[in-house]
Amino acid sequence: MTPRSREHAIDMTGGLAPNQVREVQETYIEKSRPVVIIGPMAAGKSYIGTHLARFYGYEFIDSDHLIVDKYGEVSQIFTDFGEDEFRRIEAEVIREVLTSPSRRNTIFSLGGGAPMTPETAELLREETVIYIKVDAETVAPRIIHGRARPLLQPNPIEKWSEIFEARRERFEELASYTLDARGGRSISDMAAEIQNFILRSRKGQV
């Protein structure tokens, strides 16, 4: 390529050579990978994720919803096949989302026990992970009368606390950022806090 033709090629790409344009595109794609939300049952992961999608332009995906669409109700899977089979299905669905080129700029909420599966935990170590931190007092109104969480029966608060303590270390270990959602914080404030972190992380400021 002559100096003149090389100069023309640079001008046509806005001042960047083709290989530089490709590098910028690849960098942008990498930085807009899914943002994963983890935390205990009833932490409000889907609620927060939906708000982020609505007000900040993300796609929202819930792993439990994907499982229901493909395999049926979560509680029925537990009843018919047991927790081990559910975790296998769950890990498969999570891997599909995290490795799909079409799932960019996505907020991806996971079920409370998903990070405990070794395969899923390894995947999450390479992702931006938001841990929603709550306590029993915060989630109590959400779980006391609910029947949709088979692992919490028959004593929801006691079982929630027991399960949370067993999982807390893994949540903390995988977290890129921890959102304190205890008490009566507004959804707008919590979503804005997460969005600020996402923007800073994509600019390499965290």
Side-chain angles (χ1 to χ4, degrees), residues 105-120:
N105 204 43
T106 295
I107 302 294
F108 187 26
S109 173
L110 306 190
M116 302 307 292
T117 302
E119 178 186 357
T120 299

Side-chain angles (χ1 to χ4, degrees), residues 156-168:
I157 300 300
E158 180 180 335
K159 288 295 295 182
W160 185 92
S161 299
E162 177 184 320
I163 293 170
F164 171 59
E165 285 304 319
R167 296 173 176 174
R168 180 164 56 87

